[in-house]
């Protein structure tokens, strides 16, 4: 598993906020937002809502009978000549993939973009075995060269400027500096083409695993999914267990939602289907096909009625683009594979709330993520549940420290009656004087200092609202009612 740096959320978020290059890159999220809006407008809002409803129903049905559909998927993959491995955790998944690589004397693995393979950290495992793993999605290739984690679910190198990419290629590939994006893409294409031709094994993800046919479906814009799954002699696909869908026909619901939500496209350049290995009468395709289905904590999410809905996610990335927090702090602040609002739910659920307890708080709860989600996933509700989990002890015992408990008790007394409240206002007006500047308090003393560390705190008004209201109130009318 890749290193988990979720506890560094605050310093990494501050670093991103103070980095002008990253802020400029994050500004490009508006292109995704605009593309999505235009695509939905063209599709028709009413039709869009119908598709969303249908997708939710399919996901609901699937999650209610997940064991049945996974079993059906597995049976049909095997019927088509493939092998299926259910991995309880990333260790088991990595061991299986490493075993396949070893058995086939693999030297080079080409990889198509897959969040599950990031979750597994399979590239590091292969490298430690002396096998060369090569990312073939352009964004993934860039971050592999930079030895970084993906920044965004669908745009892994979103944070890199073209100048940074040029410098990276110059330093690692020895190519001349380029300021033209097409020329940079051509450099990567040339290098990757050779890797494609010499690879012995291809690894892909699966946007969907179709239970009724045993087919995995890959949605890409660069064609690297199709190349990775068809050129080498061995194809290994990895998918989270929630990516199964019951029927092939269900794709007609999910694909329009996925591509429009993700990139604002009617359809991506490539939608590739793989059903088992090459048949005896086929010219192309791998000799062996393996499907690794990963649990790694998803069963726990399935068992939790409050978190189960997060498994409906089709990883379109729209919630990241809409989130005011992600739009400022970027992807690396989240410290693991899944960033943004859905990452703030999935990461604590998979790695444990104590390790990732800052993430559910990295939200204003504005609801923009729920609004744009093609599956209507209620992310804010789940963030509140995880916040509550983060603040509760193992048996529901409150873990609030003594100072916090004292402050809360004092607050309850203060707001419990008008007399106390008025008196507290008068005292606060006097006490705030040395801390105030213009209309704001510069900094509050501990334990309240967190409130003023990075935002303005308004001063307590010299004349409270209640006194001003009393002064403004009109004298009672002398005229009576109509009497009717
Ligand atoms: S939670 Fe919804 S909007 Fe976010 S990535 Fe998943 S499907 Fe897309």
């Amino acid at each position: 598993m890749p290193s988990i740096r979720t506890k560094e959320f605050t310093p990494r978020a501050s670093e991103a906020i103070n980095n002008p290059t990253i802020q400029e890159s994050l500004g490009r999220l508006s292109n995704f937002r605009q593309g999505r809006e235009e695509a939905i407008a063209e599709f028709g809002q009413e039709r869009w809502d119908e598709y969303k409803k249908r997708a939710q129903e399919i996901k609901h049905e699937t999650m209610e009978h997940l064991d049945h559909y996974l079993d059906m998927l597995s049976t049909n993959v095997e019927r088509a000549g493939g092998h299926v491995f259910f991995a309880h955790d990333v260790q088991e998944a990595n061991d299986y993939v490493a075993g396949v690589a070893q058995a086939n004397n693999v030297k080079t693995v080409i990889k198509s973009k897959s969040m599950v393979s990031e979750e597994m950290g399979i590239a590091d495992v292969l490298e430690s075995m002396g096998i060369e793993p090569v990312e073939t999605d352009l964004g993934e290739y860039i971050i592999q060269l930079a030895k970084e984690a993906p920044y965004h679910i669908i745009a892994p190198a979103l944070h890199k400027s073209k100048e940074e990419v040029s410098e990276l290629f110059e330093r690692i590939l020895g190519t001349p500096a380029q300021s033209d994006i097409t020329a940079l893409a051509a450099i990567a294409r040339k290098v990757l083409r050779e890797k494609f031709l010499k690879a012995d094994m291809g690894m892909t993800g699966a946007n969907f695993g179709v239970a009724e046919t045993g087919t995995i479906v890959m949605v890409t814009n660069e064609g690297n999914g199709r190349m990775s799954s068809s050129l080498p002699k061995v194809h290994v696909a990895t998918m989270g267990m929630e990516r199964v869908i019951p029927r092939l026909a269900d794709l007609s619901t999910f694909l329009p939602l996925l591509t429009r939500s993700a990139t604002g496209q009617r359809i991506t350049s490539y939608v590739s289907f793989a059903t088992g290995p090459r048949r005896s009468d086929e010219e192309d395709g791998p000799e062996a096909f393996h499907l690794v289905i990963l649990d790694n904590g998803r069963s726990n999410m399935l068992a939790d009625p409050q978190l189960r809905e997060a498994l409906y996610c089709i990883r379109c990335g729209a919630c990241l683009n809409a989130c005011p927090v992600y739009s400022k702090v970027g992807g690396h602040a989240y410290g693991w594979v899944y960033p943004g609002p859905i990452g703030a739910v999935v990461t604590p659920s998979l790695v444990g709330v104590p390790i990732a307890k800052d993430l559910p708080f990295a939200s204003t709860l504005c609801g923009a993520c729920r609004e744009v989600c093609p599956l209507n996933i209620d992310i804010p509700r789940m963030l509140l549940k995880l916040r509550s989990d983060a603040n509760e002890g193992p048996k529901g015992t409150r873990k609030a420290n003594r100072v916090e408990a004292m402050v809360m008790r004092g607050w309850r007394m203060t707001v419990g009656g008008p007399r106390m409240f008025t008196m507290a206002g008068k005292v606060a007006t006097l006490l705030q004087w040395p801390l105030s500047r213009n209309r704001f308090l510069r900094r509050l003393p501990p334990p309240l200092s967190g409130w003023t560390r990075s935002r303005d705190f308004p001063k307590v008004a010299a004349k409270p609202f209640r006194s001003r209201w009393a002064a403004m109130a009109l004298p009672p009318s002398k005229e009576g009612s109509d009497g009717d």
Side-chain angles (χ1 to χ4, degrees):
M1 200 185 309
S3 62
I4 302 171
R5 299 179 64 188
T6 41
K7 289 185 175 167
E8 297 164 36
F9 180 83
T10 307
R12 296 184 99 193
S14 305
E15 207 179 301
I17 289 168
N18 292 313
N19 182 326
T21 312
I22 286 188
Q23 290 306 307
E24 196 184 324
S25 305
L26 287 168
R28 293 199 284 271
L29 291 173
S30 60
N31 298 338
F32 285 128
R33 290 194 290 267
Q34 194 183 338
R36 176 188 165 276
E37 275 166 27
E38 287 171 5
I40 294 172
E42 186 211 50
F43 197 70
Q45 188 64 51
E46 208 175 312
R47 195 167 156 223
W48 183 252
D49 292 339
E50 275 167 29
Y51 272 59
K52 279 171 68 172
K53 191 163 172 284
R54 175 76 190 126
Q56 259 191 313
E57 287 165 0
I58 297 168
K59 280 287 181 184
H60 179 77
E61 177 202 350
T62 314
M63 293 306 149
E64 288 297 305
H65 306 100
L66 192 59
D67 52 345
H68 167 73
Y69 287 116
L70 284 173
D71 189 47
M72 193 191 289
L73 174 67
S74 165
T75 305
N76 286 324
V77 168
E78 282 168 0
R79 195 169 284 155
H83 306 273
V84 179
F85 181 72
F86 283 95
H88 175 66
D89 54 24
V90 294
Q91 181 70 49
E92 281 186 13
N94 285 333
D95 288 349
Y96 182 83
V97 177
V100 172
Q102 240 160 10
N104 288 281
N105 198 22
V106 168
K107 300 281 182 292
T108 304
V109 173
I110 45 169
K111 282 184 76 245
S112 172
K113 186 175 158 317
S114 148
M115 297 306 284
V116 164
S117 74
E118 293 286 342
E119 189 180 327
M120 291 160 58
I122 187 65
D124 291 341
V125 174
L126 294 172
E127 225 159 27
S128 71
M129 296 165 62
I131 296 171
E132 183 191 19
V134 185
E135 295 290 349
T136 59
D137 171 272
L138 179 57
E140 287 279 344
Y141 181 58
I142 291 168
I143 60 160
Q144 185 185 29
L145 293 183
K147 296 192 187 311
E148 290 179 15
Y151 211 73
H152 187 285
I153 290 178
I154 62 157
L158 174 84
H159 59 305
K160 294 267 180 234
S161 65
K162 60 180 191 290
E163 290 76 21
E164 285 172 322
V165 174
S166 169
E167 189 274 326
L168 190 68
F169 283 4
E170 217 179 326
R171 182 160 52 82
I172 297 182
L173 305 177
T175 49
Q178 285 289 351
S179 57
D180 177 37
I181 292 177
T182 314
L184 288 167
I187 292 172
R189 192 187 177 92
K190 187 162 179 288
V191 175
L192 291 175
R193 190 53 60 122
E194 283 159 28
K195 304 285 184 193
F196 275 121
L197 292 174
K198 79 170 199 189
D200 331 87
M201 185 165 122
M203 283 193 73
T204 69
N207 291 86
F208 305 98
V210 183
E212 75 171 353
T213 56
T215 304
I216 64 144
V217 182
M218 296 156 282
V219 180
T220 72
N221 266 318
E222 298 172 25
N224 58 317
R226 181 166 296 174
M227 299 266 273
S228 301
S229 59
S230 57
L231 270 180
K233 62 182 182 191
V234 182
H235 174 200
V236 178
T238 53
M239 63 176 253
M241 60 191 240
E242 78 283 9
R243 306 311 286 267
V244 64
I245 56 170
R247 297 156 292 264
L248 203 58
D250 295 331
L251 288 170
S252 62
T253 301
F254 286 111
L255 288 175
L257 290 174
L258 174 60
T259 58
R260 284 173 175 82
S261 295
T263 50
Q265 289 170 284
R266 289 179 186 158
I267 190 81
T268 46
S269 307
Y270 296 85
V271 179
S272 309
F273 295 66
T275 311
R278 175 174 67 195
R279 313 287 189 282
S280 54
D281 58 344
E282 287 174 345
E283 281 184 21
D284 299 315
E287 291 162 20
F289 172 74
H290 298 260
L291 177 62
V292 179
I293 301 175
L294 182 65
D295 182 332
N296 202 33
R298 289 164 173 81
S299 292
N300 299 335
M301 292 173 75
L302 186 71
D304 187 330
Q306 296 196 64
L307 292 176
R308 174 181 286 203
E309 207 189 6
L311 295 174
Y312 292 16
C313 175
I314 53 172
R315 306 277 188 263
C316 70
C319 57
L320 280 67
N321 306 335
C323 176
V325 175
Y326 178 89
S327 305
K328 292 309 282 182
V329 306
H332 287 166
Y334 292 81
W336 200 51
V337 179
Y338 301 103
I342 190 62
V345 172
V346 170
T347 304
S349 307
L350 296 187
V351 306
V353 173
I355 299 172
K357 66 174 180 222
D358 283 348
L359 301 190
F361 293 90
S363 167
T364 61
L365 300 180
C366 66
C369 48
R370 180 180 49 212
E371 196 85 2
V372 297
C373 177
L375 272 298
N376 263 337
I377 299 174
D378 196 348
I379 295 176
R381 181 184 52 74
M382 286 183 271
L383 291 174
L384 282 174
K385 181 251 185 299
L386 290 164
R387 285 182 186 192
S388 162
D389 289 354
N391 281 329
E392 297 288 331
K395 288 178 188 152
T397 40
R398 186 98 172 95
K399 273 206 310 192
N401 64 42
R402 280 170 50 202
V403 177
E404 187 191 341
M406 248 168 59
V407 170
M408 284 302 156
R409 259 203 306 276
W411 177 250
R412 197 172 57 196
M413 271 171 58
T414 308
V415 299
R419 188 175 300 179
M420 199 57 186
F421 189 72
T422 309
M423 203 192 328
K426 284 181 182 159
V427 173
T429 313
L430 289 175
L431 291 182
Q432 71 181 347
W433 178 75
L435 305 172
S436 59
R437 185 173 54 197
N438 301 328
R439 290 186 301 116
F440 297 101
L441 298 180
R442 278 174 300 172
R443 62 189 150 77
L444 286 169
L448 303 173
S449 50
W451 280 95
T452 45
R453 197 177 300 133
S454 53
R455 67 187 129 188
D456 298 326
F457 195 92
K459 265 168 55 175
V460 178
K463 199 166 183 186
F465 173 76
R466 276 150 42 100
S467 328
R468 279 192 275 165
W469 179 255
M472 277 168 59
L474 295 172
S477 169
K478 289 190 182 130
E479 290 174 19
S481 66
D482 289 351
D484 54 357

